[in-house]
Amino acid sequence: MTYRATHTTTYTYSEPVSICHNEVHLRPRSGYRQTLIDSSITVLPDPGHLYSRTDYFGNETTFFSIHEPHSRLIISAESLVEVRPTTVVDPAATPAWEDVRTQVRAHRGGAALEAFQYIFPSQYVKAGPEFASFAEPSFPAGRPILKGLMDLSHRIFTQFRYDPRATTVATPVDEVLAARHGVCQDFAHVMIGALRSIGLPARYVSGYLRSNPNLVGAEESHAWVSAYCPGHGWLEIDPTNDLLPSEAHITLAWGRDYGDVTPVRGVALGGGEQLISVRVRVAPEKAAVATD
């Protein structure tokens, strides 16, 4: 399936901003189960400087600065992405979760060494006894790791309430675990914290969902989880919708947590109060009709 994804963020300020510097992760990754066909980022007013680079995690990151007074900033990204179905993995055929933990702890090279960095706490993800206790019912001795991941995802899906007004980016993840409500970013952080607390590597994935009223998090920035499994690579799971991502999910970037892959962030001098509006739309691209 080929999708056209549009993402527009508008900042409206009560007072003029004299200068701003910004960083965005708005170009989808290419590889694994998707191919980026085309992508563009437009900024108004025109930035004085704009350049892109690939960050430590392999995400394309765009930086820009505006050196003229402005009362509104509009950042628009449009991408054309081909998404392929995910290879179906038999949960029972995946290794026991304890074996995964042992291999990652040994980190003798290759993929296990790369995965090792994702077992530690990070800016937005804590690891500790309360998260380990939350994870343990999903990971009894000898359980195949994908079965455990699916069970943990289902428990978050059924025990937590999706509520955009309950949290902000600054809400600590342990508060989300205690209160059992939040948004997709919160649920991803809770699941990652639970996995890391029992020694399993997990990373945060940001992206989009195909516009669909039956999917929670559609038509806005979305987030899910990727967990390492020897022999199968990184297994993705979306606890907000309790499903394994496939053709309906488009990956923008991944990292340790939200802080590594924030879609849009920056600093501004002046501005007073600000109003932020975000619009996301992901729709299938219609094929051209050949004519004589």
Side-chain angles (χ1 to χ4, degrees), residues 165-273:
R165 297 169 297 180
T167 60
T168 68
V169 172
T171 303
V173 67
D174 52 349
E175 292 185 13
V176 177
L177 177 63
R180 309 261 167 141
H181 55 206
V183 294
C184 56
Q185 290 87 349
D186 300 309
F187 302 159
H189 284 152
V190 166
M191 187 168 182
I192 292 169
L195 294 172
R196 291 179 184 173
S197 294
I198 59 172
L200 295 176
R203 63 192 184 192
Y204 181 99
V205 185
S206 74
Y208 305 129
L209 290 172
R210 173 177 177 170
S211 297
N212 184 332
N214 297 319
L215 293 174
V216 178
E219 302 201 344
E220 58 188 2
S221 295
H222 193 54
W224 57 96
V225 177
S226 181
Y228 175 68
C229 176
H232 298 279
W234 290 87
L235 302 174
E236 294 184 315
I237 194 155
D238 179 353
T240 302
N241 292 287
D242 195 26
L243 52 78
L244 302 179
S246 187
E247 287 180 282
H249 288 65
I250 295 175
T251 299
L252 278 177
W254 62 59
R256 294 164 298 178
D257 57 33
Y258 173 82
D260 288 330
V261 297
T262 308
V264 178
R265 66 179 173 189
V267 293
L269 183 61
E273 296 182 356

Side-chain angles (χ1 to χ4, degrees), residues 131-181:
F131 287 94
S133 295
F134 180 67
E136 283 169 359
S138 297
F139 292 92
R143 186 173 228 178
I145 187 171
L146 184 51
K147 282 192 172 184
L149 293 172
M150 294 171 69
D151 185 77
L152 181 59
S153 171
H154 183 69
R155 289 173 51 223
I156 293 173
F157 179 74
T158 56
Q159 296 176 19
F160 287 63
R161 178 168 54 89
Y162 186 88
D163 184 356
R165 297 169 297 180
T167 60
T168 68
V169 172
T171 303
V173 67
D174 52 349
E175 292 185 13
V176 177
L177 177 63
R180 309 261 167 141
H181 55 206

Side-chain angles (χ1 to χ4, degrees), residues 61 79 95 97 112 145 164 225 279:
T61 309
S79 302
W97 71 271
I145 187 171
V225 177
R279 292 185 294 110

Side-chain angles (χ1 to χ4, degrees), residues 5-207:
T6 57
H7 182 149
T8 302
T9 302
T10 303
Y11 292 85
T12 303
Y13 304 103
S14 62
E15 300 175 8
V17 170
S18 59
I19 186 172
C20 68
H21 300 277
N22 299 271
E23 172 188 287
V24 303
H25 293 95
L26 294 175
R27 293 189 192 275
R29 293 185 69 115
S30 203
Y32 178 44
R33 60 178 180 81
Q34 67 182 42
T35 299
L36 178 61
I37 300 171
D38 190 26
S39 182
S40 64
I41 295 177
T42 303
V43 180
L44 293 174
D46 289 336
H49 300 280
L50 186 150
Y51 70 96
S52 297
R53 68 170 178 84
T54 301
D55 69 12
Y56 170 80
F57 302 101
N59 309 307
E60 183 167 334
T61 309
T62 300
F63 303 86
F64 67 87
S65 59
I66 298 173
H67 297 228
E68 63 180 74
H70 56 281
S71 297
R72 176 174 292 184
L73 170 63
I74 303 175
I75 307 165
S76 299
E78 183 171 321
S79 302
L80 193 63
V81 188
E82 181 185 75
V83 183
R84 297 175 290 277
T86 303
T87 301
V88 177
V89 176
D90 179 5
T94 58
W97 71 271
E98 301 99 326
D99 294 340
V100 175
R101 179 177 62 184
T102 298
Q103 288 192 41
V104 172
R105 283 177 174 174
H107 59 87
R108 293 192 175 94
L113 177 60
E114 194 270 339
F116 182 67
Q117 65 186 310
Y118 293 101
I119 69 171
F120 301 102
S122 54
Q123 180 183 0
Y124 289 96
V125 176
K126 293 183 179 179
E130 68 274 28
F131 287 94
S133 295
F134 180 67
E136 283 169 359
S138 297
F139 292 92
R143 186 173 228 178
I145 187 171
L146 184 51
K147 282 192 172 184
L149 293 172
M150 294 171 69
D151 185 77
L152 181 59
S153 171
H154 183 69
R155 289 173 51 223
I156 293 173
F157 179 74
T158 56
Q159 296 176 19
F160 287 63
R161 178 168 54 89
Y162 186 88
D163 184 356
R165 297 169 297 180
T167 60
T168 68
V169 172
T171 303
V173 67
D174 52 349
E175 292 185 13
V176 177
L177 177 63
R180 309 261 167 141
H181 55 206
V183 294
C184 56
Q185 290 87 349
D186 300 309
F187 302 159
H189 284 152
V190 166
M191 187 168 182
I192 292 169
L195 294 172
R196 291 179 184 173
S197 294
I198 59 172
L200 295 176
R203 63 192 184 192
Y204 181 99
V205 185
S206 74

